[in-house]
């Protein structure tokens, strides 16, 4: 198998037929063997019925989840099933263009890249999405040190061993280039790709994407830096906070002694409310972050972080 095209889909019935025709048309001109791995992420429309029809005409391997588990889970199972030397992911909604397949394939096979990420230079999305996305990509670049313009493009190509090595869970599909980089695949490239407006149906991600994306970025950076040595993080933060507390204690003590020796009436520190606000905010903020990171570590190490139920699995020609 030369190419596996992994397509996560959730309620995209109207797009699937055109998508398969288009992929097939492009790939037919390449003289290679390919498969389309369709992962129906618990669609409630007629997506699965449409796939059952399409499977008779196209080399489709289809998996149906018992419910909606999210794009990351869909990609994860698709990656596990992919047998192509090159694995290409693509959204199902016709916003990504199958015309990019030959060039992406070439960049992996001939140019030797581990991962090629699509870059939707000219996007066809509302401003409410494109402006925060710019900010998000900037922050991700700064925090990860990986110079991509568009981390969360659905259209990406990988060497097969890359997708087998990384584990996409939760909503980590936004950060696959970082996961790959941390797993030792440093040859990451970018390709400007065509992007189309959504033709049918609606977007599956609302404004929460930005909050979740920000939190996941914290987790991923934290996990890759301190996941195996959490004491370096907790220890230094703890020491710092303790040190600040210790200085404050010295200051209060010193002040008290000074006032006593000079016979100055003491000013009660508890009268300054800003002191308590700062103190409480600091303590609560630290606690929250610690709780978040501890939770993240537990999730990472839990055996069931990528557990989902497959309802049906069907294959072309079977
Ligand atoms: N998707 C999915 N499971 C989900 C949400 C989305 O498989 O829970 C699929 C969706 O069907 C599409 C792709 O992920 O093929 C990208 O989703 P969408 O087009 O809604 O995202 P956007 O383009 O708005 O970022
Ligand atoms: Mg889309």
């Amino acid at each position: 198998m030369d190419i596996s095209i992994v397509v996560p889909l959730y309620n995209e019935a109207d797009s699937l037929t055109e998508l398969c025709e288009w992929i097939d048309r492009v790939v037919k001109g390449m003289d290679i063997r390919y498969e389309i791995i369709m992962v129906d992420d618990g669609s409630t429309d007629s997506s699965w019925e449409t796939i059952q029809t399409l499977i008779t005409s196209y080399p489709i391997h289809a998996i149906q989840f018992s419910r909606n588990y999210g794009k990351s889970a869909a990609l994860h199972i698709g990656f596990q099933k992919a047998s192509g030397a090159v694995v290409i992911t693509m959204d199902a909604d016709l916003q990504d263009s199958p015309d990019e397949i030959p060039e992406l394939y070439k960049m992996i096979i001939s140019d030797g890249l581990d991962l090629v990420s699509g870059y939707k230079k000219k996007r066809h999305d509302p401003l409410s999405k494109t402006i925060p996305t710019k900010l998000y990509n900037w922050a991700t670049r700064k925090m990860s040190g990986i110079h991509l313009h568009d981390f969360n493009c659905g259209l990406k190509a990988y060497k097969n061993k890359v997708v087998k090595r990384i584990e996409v869970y939760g909503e980590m599909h936004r950060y696959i280039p970082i996961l790959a980089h941390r797993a030792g695949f440093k040859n990451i490239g970018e390709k400007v790709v065509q992007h189309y407006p959504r033709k049918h149906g609606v977007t599956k991600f609302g404004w929460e994407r930005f909050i979740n994306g920000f939190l996941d970025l914290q987790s991923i950076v934290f996990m890759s830096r301190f996941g195996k040595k959490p004491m370096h993080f907790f220890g230094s933060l703890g020491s710092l906070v303790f040190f600040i507390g210790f200085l404050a204690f010295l200051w209060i003590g010193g002040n008290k002694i000074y006032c006593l020796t000079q016979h100055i009436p003491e000013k009660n520190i508890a009268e300054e409310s800003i002191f308590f606000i700062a103190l409480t905010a600091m303590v609560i903020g630290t606690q929250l972050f610690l709780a978040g990171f501890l939770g993240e570590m537990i999730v990472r190490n839990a055996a069931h972080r990528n557990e989902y139920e497959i309802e049906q699995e069907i294959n072309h020609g079977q």
Side-chain angles (χ1 to χ4, degrees):
M1 190 68 69
D2 297 301
I3 303 185
S4 296
I5 300 165
V6 176
V7 182
L9 62 109
Y10 178 48
N11 293 342
E12 309 283 5
D14 296 335
S15 306
L16 297 178
T17 306
E18 188 179 336
L19 182 72
C20 285
E21 282 169 3
W22 193 355
I23 292 176
D24 194 62
R25 198 165 60 237
V26 172
V27 177
K28 277 250 168 73
M30 293 174 69
D31 187 33
I32 48 143
R33 280 155 306 160
Y34 83 103
E35 63 178 350
I36 305 175
I37 299 179
M38 294 206 150
V39 186
D40 179 352
D41 184 16
S43 295
T44 49
D45 67 352
S46 58
S47 292
W48 186 248
E49 287 70 32
T50 310
I51 292 172
Q52 284 176 312
T53 314
L54 290 168
I55 209 165
T56 55
S57 326
Y58 301 100
I60 295 174
H61 180 137
I63 295 137
Q64 183 190 31
F65 279 163
S66 59
R67 65 166 173 84
N68 179 238
Y69 285 97
K71 189 177 178 183
S72 289
L75 286 174
H76 182 256
I77 187 80
F79 285 166
Q80 288 195 318
K81 303 283 175 184
S83 55
V86 174
V87 179
I88 295 179
T89 59
M90 189 178 286
D91 288 353
D93 55 0
L94 299 167
Q95 288 198 269
D96 297 331
S97 165
D99 290 334
E100 309 287 352
I101 294 173
E103 184 60 25
L104 288 172
Y105 179 72
K106 189 194 140 267
M107 289 174 83
I108 299 286
I109 294 291
S110 312
D111 304 350
L113 292 170
D114 295 320
L115 188 167
V116 180
S117 188
Y119 170 21
K120 298 167 295 218
K121 200 164 186 175
K122 187 157 173 23
R123 284 185 73 137
H124 295 275
D125 280 319
L127 274 184
S128 60
K129 189 155 135 192
T130 52
I131 291 174
T133 298
K134 279 216 164 73
L135 206 74
Y136 148 90
N137 278 309
W138 173 83
T140 311
R141 260 196 307 279
K142 289 285 161 227
M143 288 191 75
S144 69
I146 301 171
H147 287 276
L148 291 178
H149 290 92
D150 188 0
F151 281 84
N152 186 20
C153 182
L155 187 56
K156 286 189 174 62
Y158 310 82
K159 275 191 185 138
N160 189 291
K161 64 176 177 190
V162 177
V163 303
K164 303 293 182 193
R165 188 88 63 84
I166 57 180
E167 185 174 357
V168 196
Y169 72 97
E171 289 191 19
M172 292 298 182
H173 61 266
R174 296 193 180 92
Y175 300 108
I176 296 181
I178 306 183
L179 295 176
H181 194 262
R182 303 277 190 237
F185 300 103
K186 312 275 183 195
N187 263 332
I188 297 177
E190 187 170 58
K191 175 178 189 313
V192 174
V193 295
Q194 279 282 343
H195 186 241
Y196 296 99
R198 203 178 232 287
K199 224 168 158 179
H200 312 280
V202 292
T203 176
K204 308 303 182 298
F205 298 100
W207 55 269
E208 332 79 68
R209 73 168 77 207
F210 299 110
I211 297 171
N212 296 341
F214 171 75
L215 296 176
D216 283 348
L217 180 62
Q218 308 296 313
S219 295
I220 212 165
V221 169
F222 173 78
M223 286 312 296
S224 57
R225 279 181 66 182
F226 301 108
K228 296 240 157 54
K229 42 183 185 184
M231 193 52 196
H232 289 196
F233 178 82
F234 296 120
S236 45
L237 197 66
S239 307
L240 182 71
V241 174
F242 183 84
F243 186 65
I244 293 170
F246 184 68
L247 286 183
F249 167 77
L250 283 183
W251 185 80
I252 293 167
N255 205 25
K256 195 162 183 120
I257 293 169
Y258 176 78
C259 291
L260 274 176
T261 52
Q262 302 292 316
H263 305 290
I264 302 170
E266 280 176 67
K267 190 161 181 255
N268 191 350
I269 188 166
E271 280 164 20
E272 293 178 44
S273 56
I274 188 78
F275 175 79
F276 288 99
I277 295 172
L279 192 70
T280 317
M282 209 172 71
V283 172
I284 293 180
T286 312
Q287 292 285 3
L288 282 176
F289 261 88
L290 292 189
F293 289 144
L294 283 174
E296 184 66 23
M297 258 187 276
I298 295 167
V299 171
R300 285 279 301 201
N301 292 317
H304 53 76
R305 70 174 173 274
N306 237 330
E307 199 168 76
Y308 30 70
E309 203 176 313
I310 295 174
E311 190 72 32
Q312 288 182 70
E313 188 166 355
I314 52 176
N315 228 320
H316 174 70
Q318 269 178 13

